Amino acid sequence: MATAFLSAQRSKDPRTQVGACIVNEENKIVGIGYNGMPVGCHDDEMPWGRDSDNILETKQLYVCHAELNAVLNKNSADVKNCTIYVALFPCNECAKVVIQSGIKEVVYYSDKYKDKPEFVASKKMLDMAGVKYRQHIPKQKQILIDFTAIDAMTGTNVKEVLKADQTSF
Ligand SMILES: Nc1ccn([C@H]2C[C@H](O)[C@@H](COP(=O)(O)O)O2)c(=O)n1
Ligand SMILES: [Zn+2]
């Protein structure tokens, strides 16, 4: 799930950044994606708003969802029997992609749109198709990425830090 969230950071959506990470039956990553405009449709020339009288001026008609991108970006022949970790529960269109691609389980973090028809329809299809879904409850709320750690740590103090960690938990 952390990999899905890291991928989401690349999204230009100012309101909801979604990331998805697909793993196979051995828990190996086979595809990653985030919500973004189609290739060749430049992020800064496309609309990112959602509320406009002119639907052509909203993102909904254009943006590729994280789940679709993760499946399309797969580095394996297919994603049959895989699990998709996704920051937001799949919408109806993504549920179709999940089902048709053979993914067997959805692990999601947020279900903030659960009352919207797209998400009710999604659950209906996932249930009928026998795709399992469950909410991910993270052990910790945040993960810090410290780029400086690789240079700061020597072999000796890595061992010391690990030892200290083991004694404090
Ligand atoms: N399962 C989902 C659901 C939504 N998205 C994308 C589509 C939009 O870029 C954004 C939602 O925007 P909002 O309605 O919150 O303004 O999230 C997705 O990638 N996967
Ligand atoms: Zn979707």
Side-chain angles (χ1 to χ4, degrees), residues 110-148:
S110 167
D111 202 7
K112 67 175 179 174
Y113 292 136
K114 62 175 181 298
D115 297 325
K116 290 190 163 201
E118 296 93 316
F119 296 83
V120 175
S122 170
K123 288 198 178 98
K124 185 175 176 173
M125 289 187 281
L126 294 172
D127 287 340
M128 288 182 93
V131 176
K132 291 184 286 180
Y133 48 87
R134 64 181 167 89
Q135 188 161 33
H136 178 76
I137 312 290
K139 290 197 184 88
Q140 51 195 76
K141 289 227 165 83
Q142 290 177 333
I143 296 177
L144 173 76
I145 298 178
D146 180 2
F147 288 106
T148 66

PDB file of all heavy atoms in Angstrom, residues 110-148:
ATOM      1  N   SER A 110      -8.900   4.127   1.237  1.00  0.00           N
ATOM      2  CA  SER A 110     -10.048   5.018   1.476  1.00  0.00           C
ATOM      3  C   SER A 110     -11.293   4.526   0.733  1.00  0.00           C
ATOM      4  O   SER A 110     -11.206   4.000  -0.370  1.00  0.00           O
ATOM      5  CB  SER A 110      -9.693   6.433   0.989  1.00  0.00           C
ATOM      6  OG  SER A 110     -10.853   7.236   0.920  1.00  0.00           O
ATOM      7  N   ASP A 111     -12.427   4.744   1.378  1.00  0.00           N
ATOM      8  CA  ASP A 111     -13.708   4.444   0.715  1.00  0.00           C
ATOM      9  C   ASP A 111     -14.580   5.702   0.792  1.00  0.00           C
ATOM     10  O   ASP A 111     -15.780   5.637   1.037  1.00  0.00           O
ATOM     11  CB  ASP A 111     -14.376   3.265   1.443  1.00  0.00           C
ATOM     12  CG  ASP A 111     -15.396   2.544   0.563  1.00  0.00           C
ATOM     13  OD1 ASP A 111     -15.481   2.880  -0.640  1.00  0.00           O
ATOM     14  OD2 ASP A 111     -16.106   1.671   1.081  1.00  0.00           O
ATOM     15  N   LYS A 112     -13.925   6.859   0.551  1.00  0.00           N
ATOM     16  CA  LYS A 112     -14.596   8.135   0.826  1.00  0.00           C
ATOM     17  C   LYS A 112     -15.796   8.408  -0.083  1.00  0.00           C
ATOM     18  O   LYS A 112     -16.609   9.261   0.234  1.00  0.00           O
ATOM     19  CB  LYS A 112     -13.600   9.300   0.768  1.00  0.00           C
ATOM     20  CG  LYS A 112     -12.998   9.603  -0.608  1.00  0.00           C
ATOM     21  CD  LYS A 112     -12.121  10.849  -0.523  1.00  0.00           C
ATOM     22  CE  LYS A 112     -11.486  11.181  -1.855  1.00  0.00           C
ATOM     23  NZ  LYS A 112     -10.744  12.455  -1.832  1.00  0.00           N
ATOM     24  N   TYR A 113     -15.888   7.708  -1.190  1.00  0.00           N
ATOM     25  CA  TYR A 113     -17.030   7.938  -2.086  1.00  0.00           C
ATOM     26  C   TYR A 113     -18.035   6.785  -2.058  1.00  0.00           C
ATOM     27  O   TYR A 113     -18.760   6.553  -3.031  1.00  0.00           O
ATOM     28  CB  TYR A 113     -16.523   8.151  -3.521  1.00  0.00           C
ATOM     29  CG  TYR A 113     -15.739   9.438  -3.696  1.00  0.00           C
ATOM     30  CD1 TYR A 113     -14.553   9.453  -4.421  1.00  0.00           C
ATOM     31  CD2 TYR A 113     -16.184  10.634  -3.152  1.00  0.00           C
ATOM     32  CE1 TYR A 113     -13.835  10.631  -4.596  1.00  0.00           C
ATOM     33  CE2 TYR A 113     -15.475  11.811  -3.316  1.00  0.00           C
ATOM     34  CZ  TYR A 113     -14.302  11.811  -4.035  1.00  0.00           C
ATOM     35  OH  TYR A 113     -13.606  12.987  -4.200  1.00  0.00           O
ATOM     36  N   LYS A 114     -18.070   6.046  -0.960  1.00  0.00           N
ATOM     37  CA  LYS A 114     -18.853   4.796  -0.925  1.00  0.00           C
ATOM     38  C   LYS A 114     -20.341   4.970  -1.230  1.00  0.00           C
ATOM     39  O   LYS A 114     -20.975   4.031  -1.716  1.00  0.00           O
ATOM     40  CB  LYS A 114     -18.669   4.065   0.402  1.00  0.00           C
ATOM     41  CG  LYS A 114     -19.129   4.780   1.641  1.00  0.00           C
ATOM     42  CD  LYS A 114     -18.966   3.842   2.836  1.00  0.00           C
ATOM     43  CE  LYS A 114     -19.415   4.462   4.125  1.00  0.00           C
ATOM     44  NZ  LYS A 114     -18.645   5.657   4.514  1.00  0.00           N
ATOM     45  N   ASP A 115     -20.892   6.158  -0.987  1.00  0.00           N
ATOM     46  CA  ASP A 115     -22.331   6.339  -1.236  1.00  0.00           C
ATOM     47  C   ASP A 115     -22.646   6.774  -2.665  1.00  0.00           C
ATOM     48  O   ASP A 115     -23.810   6.852  -3.047  1.00  0.00           O
ATOM     49  CB  ASP A 115     -22.904   7.353  -0.233  1.00  0.00           C
ATOM     50  CG  ASP A 115     -22.767   6.825   1.193  1.00  0.00           C
ATOM     51  OD1 ASP A 115     -22.890   5.596   1.378  1.00  0.00           O
ATOM     52  OD2 ASP A 115     -22.506   7.640   2.102  1.00  0.00           O
ATOM     53  N   LYS A 116     -21.630   7.063  -3.454  1.00  0.00           N
ATOM     54  CA  LYS A 116     -21.885   7.491  -4.841  1.00  0.00           C
ATOM     55  C   LYS A 116     -22.245   6.288  -5.699  1.00  0.00           C
ATOM     56  O   LYS A 116     -21.683   5.192  -5.497  1.00  0.00           O
ATOM     57  CB  LYS A 116     -20.642   8.176  -5.424  1.00  0.00           C
ATOM     58  CG  LYS A 116     -20.363   9.521  -4.804  1.00  0.00           C
ATOM     59  CD  LYS A 116     -19.279  10.213  -5.614  1.00  0.00           C
ATOM     60  CE  LYS A 116     -19.275  11.686  -5.296  1.00  0.00           C
ATOM     61  NZ  LYS A 116     -18.650  12.484  -6.334  1.00  0.00           N
ATOM     62  N   PRO A 117     -23.139   6.458  -6.693  1.00  0.00           N
ATOM     63  CA  PRO A 117     -23.576   5.330  -7.514  1.00  0.00           C
ATOM     64  C   PRO A 117     -22.436   4.543  -8.161  1.00  0.00           C
ATOM     65  O   PRO A 117     -22.497   3.315  -8.248  1.00  0.00           O
ATOM     66  CB  PRO A 117     -24.456   5.978  -8.592  1.00  0.00           C
ATOM     67  CG  PRO A 117     -24.768   7.333  -8.100  1.00  0.00           C
ATOM     68  CD  PRO A 117     -23.784   7.716  -7.048  1.00  0.00           C
ATOM     69  N   GLU A 118     -21.383   5.249  -8.580  1.00  0.00           N
ATOM     70  CA  GLU A 118     -20.249   4.559  -9.239  1.00  0.00           C
ATOM     71  C   GLU A 118     -19.609   3.518  -8.320  1.00  0.00           C
ATOM     72  O   GLU A 118     -19.101   2.494  -8.776  1.00  0.00           O
ATOM     73  CB  GLU A 118     -19.149   5.565  -9.621  1.00  0.00           C
ATOM     74  CG  GLU A 118     -19.532   6.599 -10.651  1.00  0.00           C
ATOM     75  CD  GLU A 118     -20.044   7.876 -10.016  1.00  0.00           C
ATOM     76  OE1 GLU A 118     -20.851   7.788  -9.068  1.00  0.00           O
ATOM     77  OE2 GLU A 118     -19.649   8.955 -10.477  1.00  0.00           O
ATOM     78  N   PHE A 119     -19.632   3.828  -7.031  1.00  0.00           N
ATOM     79  CA  PHE A 119     -18.952   2.949  -6.082  1.00  0.00           C
ATOM     80  C   PHE A 119     -19.884   1.860  -5.561  1.00  0.00           C
ATOM     81  O   PHE A 119     -19.443   0.746  -5.265  1.00  0.00           O
ATOM     82  CB  PHE A 119     -18.307   3.798  -4.970  1.00  0.00           C
ATOM     83  CG  PHE A 119     -17.237   4.694  -5.538  1.00  0.00           C
ATOM     84  CD1 PHE A 119     -17.574   5.920  -6.124  1.00  0.00           C
ATOM     85  CD2 PHE A 119     -15.913   4.289  -5.571  1.00  0.00           C
ATOM     86  CE1 PHE A 119     -16.602   6.725  -6.716  1.00  0.00           C
ATOM     87  CE2 PHE A 119     -14.932   5.085  -6.155  1.00  0.00           C
ATOM     88  CZ  PHE A 119     -15.280   6.311  -6.730  1.00  0.00           C
ATOM     89  N   VAL A 120     -21.178   2.177  -5.519  1.00  0.00           N
ATOM     90  CA  VAL A 120     -22.168   1.147  -5.182  1.00  0.00           C
ATOM     91  C   VAL A 120     -22.189   0.112  -6.314  1.00  0.00           C
ATOM     92  O   VAL A 120     -22.160  -1.101  -6.080  1.00  0.00           O
ATOM     93  CB  VAL A 120     -23.570   1.790  -4.970  1.00  0.00           C
ATOM     94  CG1 VAL A 120     -24.620   0.717  -4.736  1.00  0.00           C
ATOM     95  CG2 VAL A 120     -23.534   2.781  -3.808  1.00  0.00           C
ATOM     96  N   ALA A 121     -22.191   0.603  -7.554  1.00  0.00           N
ATOM     97  CA  ALA A 121     -22.182  -0.297  -8.720  1.00  0.00           C
ATOM     98  C   ALA A 121     -20.911  -1.134  -8.753  1.00  0.00           C
ATOM     99  O   ALA A 121     -20.932  -2.327  -9.109  1.00  0.00           O
ATOM    100  CB  ALA A 121     -22.313   0.515 -10.009  1.00  0.00           C
ATOM    101  N   SER A 122     -19.810  -0.511  -8.360  1.00  0.00           N
ATOM    102  CA  SER A 122     -18.535  -1.220  -8.336  1.00  0.00           C
ATOM    103  C   SER A 122     -18.619  -2.423  -7.398  1.00  0.00           C
ATOM    104  O   SER A 122     -18.245  -3.545  -7.769  1.00  0.00           O
ATOM    105  CB  SER A 122     -17.437  -0.248  -7.865  1.00  0.00           C
ATOM    106  OG  SER A 122     -16.250  -0.938  -7.602  1.00  0.00           O
ATOM    107  N   LYS A 123     -19.121  -2.193  -6.189  1.00  0.00           N
ATOM    108  CA  LYS A 123     -19.214  -3.300  -5.206  1.00  0.00           C
ATOM    109  C   LYS A 123     -20.155  -4.381  -5.712  1.00  0.00           C
ATOM    110  O   LYS A 123     -19.897  -5.580  -5.547  1.00  0.00           O
ATOM    111  CB  LYS A 123     -19.686  -2.772  -3.855  1.00  0.00           C
ATOM    112  CG  LYS A 123     -18.625  -1.969  -3.147  1.00  0.00           C
ATOM    113  CD  LYS A 123     -18.879  -1.794  -1.656  1.00  0.00           C
ATOM    114  CE  LYS A 123     -17.730  -1.024  -1.011  1.00  0.00           C
ATOM    115  NZ  LYS A 123     -17.924   0.394  -0.811  1.00  0.00           N
ATOM    116  N   LYS A 124     -21.235  -3.956  -6.364  1.00  0.00           N
ATOM    117  CA  LYS A 124     -22.191  -4.927  -6.910  1.00  0.00           C
ATOM    118  C   LYS A 124     -21.492  -5.854  -7.914  1.00  0.00           C
ATOM    119  O   LYS A 124     -21.629  -7.074  -7.857  1.00  0.00           O
ATOM    120  CB  LYS A 124     -23.332  -4.155  -7.590  1.00  0.00           C
ATOM    121  CG  LYS A 124     -24.466  -5.004  -8.096  1.00  0.00           C
ATOM    122  CD  LYS A 124     -25.581  -4.103  -8.624  1.00  0.00           C
ATOM    123  CE  LYS A 124     -26.695  -4.948  -9.233  1.00  0.00           C
ATOM    124  NZ  LYS A 124     -27.855  -4.139  -9.590  1.00  0.00           N
ATOM    125  N   MET A 125     -20.688  -5.258  -8.803  1.00  0.00           N
ATOM    126  CA  MET A 125     -19.993  -6.068  -9.818  1.00  0.00           C
ATOM    127  C   MET A 125     -18.899  -6.931  -9.199  1.00  0.00           C
ATOM    128  O   MET A 125     -18.763  -8.114  -9.558  1.00  0.00           O
ATOM    129  CB  MET A 125     -19.391  -5.155 -10.906  1.00  0.00           C
ATOM    130  CG  MET A 125     -20.440  -4.530 -11.798  1.00  0.00           C
ATOM    131  SD  MET A 125     -19.699  -3.631 -13.184  1.00  0.00           S
ATOM    132  CE  MET A 125     -19.222  -2.109 -12.397  1.00  0.00           C
ATOM    133  N   LEU A 126     -18.137  -6.357  -8.281  1.00  0.00           N
ATOM    134  CA  LEU A 126     -17.061  -7.144  -7.644  1.00  0.00           C
ATOM    135  C   LEU A 126     -17.649  -8.330  -6.891  1.00  0.00           C
ATOM    136  O   LEU A 126     -17.118  -9.449  -6.950  1.00  0.00           O
ATOM    137  CB  LEU A 126     -16.235  -6.255  -6.695  1.00  0.00           C
ATOM    138  CG  LEU A 126     -15.411  -5.131  -7.360  1.00  0.00           C
ATOM    139  CD1 LEU A 126     -14.796  -4.210  -6.310  1.00  0.00           C
ATOM    140  CD2 LEU A 126     -14.318  -5.688  -8.277  1.00  0.00           C
ATOM    141  N   ASP A 127     -18.768  -8.091  -6.192  1.00  0.00           N
ATOM    142  CA  ASP A 127     -19.434  -9.188  -5.449  1.00  0.00           C
ATOM    143  C   ASP A 127     -19.882 -10.287  -6.416  1.00  0.00           C
ATOM    144  O   ASP A 127     -19.631 -11.475  -6.186  1.00  0.00           O
ATOM    145  CB  ASP A 127     -20.653  -8.662  -4.678  1.00  0.00           C
ATOM    146  CG  ASP A 127     -20.242  -7.834  -3.458  1.00  0.00           C
ATOM    147  OD1 ASP A 127     -19.089  -7.978  -3.006  1.00  0.00           O
ATOM    148  OD2 ASP A 127     -21.071  -7.036  -2.978  1.00  0.00           O
ATOM    149  N   MET A 128     -20.555  -9.872  -7.486  1.00  0.00           N
ATOM    150  CA  MET A 128     -21.067 -10.863  -8.452  1.00  0.00           C
ATOM    151  C   MET A 128     -19.943 -11.656  -9.101  1.00  0.00           C
ATOM    152  O   MET A 128     -20.082 -12.851  -9.365  1.00  0.00           O
ATOM    153  CB  MET A 128     -21.893 -10.180  -9.548  1.00  0.00           C
ATOM    154  CG  MET A 128     -23.230  -9.687  -9.079  1.00  0.00           C
ATOM    155  SD  MET A 128     -24.154  -8.971 -10.423  1.00  0.00           S
ATOM    156  CE  MET A 128     -25.081 -10.384 -10.943  1.00  0.00           C
ATOM    157  N   ALA A 129     -18.826 -10.981  -9.347  1.00  0.00           N
ATOM    158  CA  ALA A 129     -17.706 -11.626 -10.038  1.00  0.00           C
ATOM    159  C   ALA A 129     -16.803 -12.403  -9.082  1.00  0.00           C
ATOM    160  O   ALA A 129     -15.854 -13.066  -9.522  1.00  0.00           O
ATOM    161  CB  ALA A 129     -16.890 -10.565 -10.779  1.00  0.00           C
ATOM    162  N   GLY A 130     -17.084 -12.301  -7.794  1.00  0.00           N
ATOM    163  CA  GLY A 130     -16.283 -13.055  -6.817  1.00  0.00           C
ATOM    164  C   GLY A 130     -14.907 -12.460  -6.565  1.00  0.00           C
ATOM    165  O   GLY A 130     -13.990 -13.181  -6.152  1.00  0.00           O
ATOM    166  N   VAL A 131     -14.767 -11.156  -6.803  1.00  0.00           N
ATOM    167  CA  VAL A 131     -13.502 -10.497  -6.474  1.00  0.00           C
ATOM    168  C   VAL A 131     -13.590 -10.021  -5.020  1.00  0.00           C
ATOM    169  O   VAL A 131     -14.505  -9.286  -4.654  1.00  0.00           O
ATOM    170  CB  VAL A 131     -13.225  -9.291  -7.420  1.00  0.00           C
ATOM    171  CG1 VAL A 131     -11.951  -8.559  -7.009  1.00  0.00           C
ATOM    172  CG2 VAL A 131     -13.136  -9.756  -8.864  1.00  0.00           C
ATOM    173  N   LYS A 132     -12.630 -10.476  -4.207  1.00  0.00           N
ATOM    174  CA  LYS A 132     -12.654 -10.104  -2.788  1.00  0.00           C
ATOM    175  C   LYS A 132     -12.142  -8.674  -2.634  1.00  0.00           C
ATOM    176  O   LYS A 132     -11.331  -8.201  -3.432  1.00  0.00           O
ATOM    177  CB  LYS A 132     -11.731 -11.031  -1.983  1.00  0.00           C
ATOM    178  CG  LYS A 132     -12.231 -12.462  -1.895  1.00  0.00           C
ATOM    179  CD  LYS A 132     -11.322 -13.293  -1.014  1.00  0.00           C
ATOM    180  CE  LYS A 132     -10.021 -13.601  -1.713  1.00  0.00           C
ATOM    181  NZ  LYS A 132      -9.053 -14.394  -0.968  1.00  0.00           N
ATOM    182  N   TYR A 133     -12.606  -7.997  -1.592  1.00  0.00           N
ATOM    183  CA  TYR A 133     -12.030  -6.684  -1.269  1.00  0.00           C
ATOM    184  C   TYR A 133     -11.990  -6.512   0.239  1.00  0.00           C
ATOM    185  O   TYR A 133     -12.823  -7.045   0.963  1.00  0.00           O
ATOM    186  CB  TYR A 133     -12.775  -5.534  -1.954  1.00  0.00           C
ATOM    187  CG  TYR A 133     -14.283  -5.555  -1.836  1.00  0.00           C
ATOM    188  CD1 TYR A 133     -14.931  -4.974  -0.755  1.00  0.00           C
ATOM    189  CD2 TYR A 133     -15.058  -6.159  -2.825  1.00  0.00           C
ATOM    190  CE1 TYR A 133     -16.307  -4.983  -0.665  1.00  0.00           C
ATOM    191  CE2 TYR A 133     -16.431  -6.181  -2.734  1.00  0.00           C
ATOM    192  CZ  TYR A 133     -17.060  -5.590  -1.654  1.00  0.00           C
ATOM    193  OH  TYR A 133     -18.428  -5.609  -1.563  1.00  0.00           O
ATOM    194  N   ARG A 134     -10.947  -5.796   0.677  1.00  0.00           N
ATOM    195  CA  ARG A 134     -10.809  -5.524   2.111  1.00  0.00           C
ATOM    196  C   ARG A 134     -10.065  -4.213   2.293  1.00  0.00           C
ATOM    197  O   ARG A 134      -9.264  -3.817   1.429  1.00  0.00           O
ATOM    198  CB  ARG A 134     -10.074  -6.659   2.827  1.00  0.00           C
ATOM    199  CG  ARG A 134      -8.644  -6.863   2.405  1.00  0.00           C
ATOM    200  CD  ARG A 134      -7.984  -8.017   3.142  1.00  0.00           C
ATOM    201  NE  ARG A 134      -6.734  -8.389   2.512  1.00  0.00           N
ATOM    202  CZ  ARG A 134      -5.554  -7.862   2.797  1.00  0.00           C
ATOM    203  NH1 ARG A 134      -5.459  -6.891   3.705  1.00  0.00           N
ATOM    204  NH2 ARG A 134      -4.447  -8.259   2.185  1.00  0.00           N
ATOM    205  N   GLN A 135     -10.353  -3.575   3.426  1.00  0.00           N
ATOM    206  CA  GLN A 135      -9.704  -2.304   3.713  1.00  0.00           C
ATOM    207  C   GLN A 135      -8.344  -2.555   4.365  1.00  0.00           C
ATOM    208  O   GLN A 135      -8.217  -3.467   5.194  1.00  0.00           O
ATOM    209  CB  GLN A 135     -10.572  -1.462   4.641  1.00  0.00           C
ATOM    210  CG  GLN A 135     -10.047  -0.053   4.821  1.00  0.00           C
ATOM    211  CD  GLN A 135     -11.105   0.897   5.330  1.00  0.00           C
ATOM    212  OE1 GLN A 135     -11.993   0.501   6.092  1.00  0.00           O
ATOM    213  NE2 GLN A 135     -11.017   2.152   4.928  1.00  0.00           N
ATOM    214  N   HIS A 136      -7.379  -1.767   3.969  1.00  0.00           N
ATOM    215  CA  HIS A 136      -6.042  -1.880   4.564  1.00  0.00           C
ATOM    216  C   HIS A 136      -5.962  -0.981   5.788  1.00  0.00           C
ATOM    217  O   HIS A 136      -6.264   0.205   5.717  1.00  0.00           O
ATOM    218  CB  HIS A 136      -4.991  -1.448   3.535  1.00  0.00           C
ATOM    219  CG  HIS A 136      -3.603  -1.472   4.061  1.00  0.00           C
ATOM    220  ND1 HIS A 136      -2.906  -2.644   4.241  1.00  0.00           N
ATOM    221  CD2 HIS A 136      -2.782  -0.470   4.453  1.00  0.00           C
ATOM    222  CE1 HIS A 136      -1.707  -2.354   4.717  1.00  0.00           C
ATOM    223  NE2 HIS A 136      -1.603  -1.053   4.855  1.00  0.00           N
ATOM    224  N   ILE A 137      -5.574  -1.553   6.902  1.00  0.00           N
ATOM    225  CA  ILE A 137      -5.383  -0.755   8.122  1.00  0.00           C
ATOM    226  C   ILE A 137      -3.872  -0.688   8.364  1.00  0.00           C
ATOM    227  O   ILE A 137      -3.264  -1.696   8.745  1.00  0.00           O
ATOM    228  CB  ILE A 137      -6.068  -1.410   9.353  1.00  0.00           C
ATOM    229  CG1 ILE A 137      -7.512  -1.825   9.030  1.00  0.00           C
ATOM    230  CG2 ILE A 137      -5.987  -0.497  10.582  1.00  0.00           C
ATOM    231  CD1 ILE A 137      -8.501  -0.687   8.829  1.00  0.00           C
ATOM    232  N   PRO A 138      -3.275   0.466   8.098  1.00  0.00           N
ATOM    233  CA  PRO A 138      -1.805   0.532   8.226  1.00  0.00           C
ATOM    234  C   PRO A 138      -1.359   0.454   9.685  1.00  0.00           C
ATOM    235  O   PRO A 138      -2.060   0.926  10.578  1.00  0.00           O
ATOM    236  CB  PRO A 138      -1.459   1.892   7.629  1.00  0.00           C
ATOM    237  CG  PRO A 138      -2.695   2.697   7.741  1.00  0.00           C
ATOM    238  CD  PRO A 138      -3.858   1.760   7.741  1.00  0.00           C
ATOM    239  N   LYS A 139      -0.177  -0.132   9.889  1.00  0.00           N
ATOM    240  CA  LYS A 139       0.373  -0.242  11.248  1.00  0.00           C
ATOM    241  C   LYS A 139       0.794   1.136  11.748  1.00  0.00           C
ATOM    242  O   LYS A 139       0.779   1.419  12.914  1.00  0.00           O
ATOM    243  CB  LYS A 139       1.584  -1.179  11.249  1.00  0.00           C
ATOM    244  CG  LYS A 139       1.197  -2.628  11.007  1.00  0.00           C
ATOM    245  CD  LYS A 139       2.326  -3.571  11.431  1.00  0.00           C
ATOM    246  CE  LYS A 139       1.963  -4.997  11.107  1.00  0.00           C
ATOM    247  NZ  LYS A 139       2.345  -5.392   9.732  1.00  0.00           N
ATOM    248  N   GLN A 140       1.233   1.987  10.814  1.00  0.00           N
ATOM    249  CA  GLN A 140       1.602   3.350  11.188  1.00  0.00           C
ATOM    250  C   GLN A 140       1.001   4.320  10.185  1.00  0.00           C
ATOM    251  O   GLN A 140       0.797   3.974   9.023  1.00  0.00           O
ATOM    252  CB  GLN A 140       3.128   3.488  11.255  1.00  0.00           C
ATOM    253  CG  GLN A 140       3.848   2.999  10.022  1.00  0.00           C
ATOM    254  CD  GLN A 140       5.331   2.816  10.283  1.00  0.00           C
ATOM    255  OE1 GLN A 140       5.736   1.854  10.905  1.00  0.00           O
ATOM    256  NE2 GLN A 140       6.123   3.750   9.783  1.00  0.00           N
ATOM    257  N   LYS A 141       0.695   5.541  10.642  1.00  0.00           N
ATOM    258  CA  LYS A 141      -0.020   6.508   9.788  1.00  0.00           C
ATOM    259  C   LYS A 141       0.877   7.132   8.729  1.00  0.00           C
ATOM    260  O   LYS A 141       0.409   7.581   7.689  1.00  0.00           O
ATOM    261  CB  LYS A 141      -0.636   7.604  10.661  1.00  0.00           C
ATOM    262  CG  LYS A 141      -1.820   7.115  11.489  1.00  0.00           C
ATOM    263  CD  LYS A 141      -2.986   8.090  11.376  1.00  0.00           C
ATOM    264  CE  LYS A 141      -4.291   7.502  11.876  1.00  0.00           C
ATOM    265  NZ  LYS A 141      -4.459   7.596  13.310  1.00  0.00           N
ATOM    266  N   GLN A 142       2.174   7.207   9.015  1.00  0.00           N
ATOM    267  CA  GLN A 142       3.082   7.867   8.082  1.00  0.00           C
ATOM    268  C   GLN A 142       4.381   7.077   7.958  1.00  0.00           C
ATOM    269  O   GLN A 142       4.793   6.403   8.903  1.00  0.00           O
ATOM    270  CB  GLN A 142       3.453   9.271   8.600  1.00  0.00           C
ATOM    271  CG  GLN A 142       2.297  10.231   8.545  1.00  0.00           C
ATOM    272  CD  GLN A 142       2.672  11.588   9.121  1.00  0.00           C
ATOM    273  OE1 GLN A 142       3.556  11.683   9.974  1.00  0.00           O
ATOM    274  NE2 GLN A 142       2.016  12.621   8.658  1.00  0.00           N
ATOM    275  N   ILE A 143       5.004   7.195   6.772  1.00  0.00           N
ATOM    276  CA  ILE A 143       6.342   6.632   6.583  1.00  0.00           C
ATOM    277  C   ILE A 143       7.219   7.761   6.060  1.00  0.00           C
ATOM    278  O   ILE A 143       6.845   8.451   5.103  1.00  0.00           O
ATOM    279  CB  ILE A 143       6.333   5.471   5.557  1.00  0.00           C
ATOM    280  CG1 ILE A 143       5.490   4.308   6.070  1.00  0.00           C
ATOM    281  CG2 ILE A 143       7.757   5.007   5.266  1.00  0.00           C
ATOM    282  CD1 ILE A 143       5.373   3.157   5.084  1.00  0.00           C
ATOM    283  N   LEU A 144       8.362   7.949   6.685  1.00  0.00           N
ATOM    284  CA  LEU A 144       9.282   8.997   6.252  1.00  0.00           C
ATOM    285  C   LEU A 144      10.333   8.377   5.337  1.00  0.00           C
ATOM    286  O   LEU A 144      10.890   7.326   5.655  1.00  0.00           O
ATOM    287  CB  LEU A 144       9.956   9.617   7.483  1.00  0.00           C
ATOM    288  CG  LEU A 144      11.062  10.618   7.197  1.00  0.00           C
ATOM    289  CD1 LEU A 144      10.468  11.948   6.738  1.00  0.00           C
ATOM    290  CD2 LEU A 144      11.918  10.823   8.434  1.00  0.00           C
ATOM    291  N   ILE A 145      10.580   9.014   4.194  1.00  0.00           N
ATOM    292  CA  ILE A 145      11.672   8.558   3.336  1.00  0.00           C
ATOM    293  C   ILE A 145      12.853   9.495   3.555  1.00  0.00           C
ATOM    294  O   ILE A 145      12.756  10.695   3.291  1.00  0.00           O
ATOM    295  CB  ILE A 145      11.248   8.531   1.854  1.00  0.00           C
ATOM    296  CG1 ILE A 145      10.101   7.536   1.687  1.00  0.00           C
ATOM    297  CG2 ILE A 145      12.430   8.144   0.963  1.00  0.00           C
ATOM    298  CD1 ILE A 145       9.560   7.453   0.290  1.00  0.00           C
ATOM    299  N   ASP A 146      13.924   8.948   4.067  1.00  0.00           N
ATOM    300  CA  ASP A 146      15.089   9.760   4.390  1.00  0.00           C
ATOM    301  C   ASP A 146      16.194   9.461   3.375  1.00  0.00           C
ATOM    302  O   ASP A 146      16.905   8.458   3.488  1.00  0.00           O
ATOM    303  CB  ASP A 146      15.544   9.425   5.821  1.00  0.00           C
ATOM    304  CG  ASP A 146      16.753  10.242   6.229  1.00  0.00           C
ATOM    305  OD1 ASP A 146      17.201  11.086   5.428  1.00  0.00           O
ATOM    306  OD2 ASP A 146      17.249  10.033   7.354  1.00  0.00           O
ATOM    307  N   PHE A 147      16.317  10.330   2.363  1.00  0.00           N
ATOM    308  CA  PHE A 147      17.319  10.103   1.321  1.00  0.00           C
ATOM    309  C   PHE A 147      18.742  10.167   1.869  1.00  0.00           C
ATOM    310  O   PHE A 147      19.653   9.591   1.303  1.00  0.00           O
ATOM    311  CB  PHE A 147      17.157  11.139   0.197  1.00  0.00           C
ATOM    312  CG  PHE A 147      15.933  10.914  -0.648  1.00  0.00           C
ATOM    313  CD1 PHE A 147      14.824  11.733  -0.524  1.00  0.00           C
ATOM    314  CD2 PHE A 147      15.885   9.879  -1.569  1.00  0.00           C
ATOM    315  CE1 PHE A 147      13.685  11.527  -1.302  1.00  0.00           C
ATOM    316  CE2 PHE A 147      14.757   9.665  -2.352  1.00  0.00           C
ATOM    317  CZ  PHE A 147      13.651  10.486  -2.215  1.00  0.00           C
ATOM    318  N   THR A 148      18.906  10.896   2.955  1.00  0.00           N
ATOM    319  CA  THR A 148      20.270  11.076   3.479  1.00  0.00           C
ATOM    320  C   THR A 148      20.766   9.832   4.214  1.00  0.00           C
ATOM    321  O   THR A 148      21.961   9.700   4.467  1.00  0.00           O
ATOM    322  CB  THR A 148      20.346  12.284   4.448  1.00  0.00           C
ATOM    323  OG1 THR A 148      19.560  11.991   5.609  1.00  0.00           O
ATOM    324  CG2 THR A 148      19.820  13.550   3.788  1.00  0.00           C
TER     325      THR A 148
END
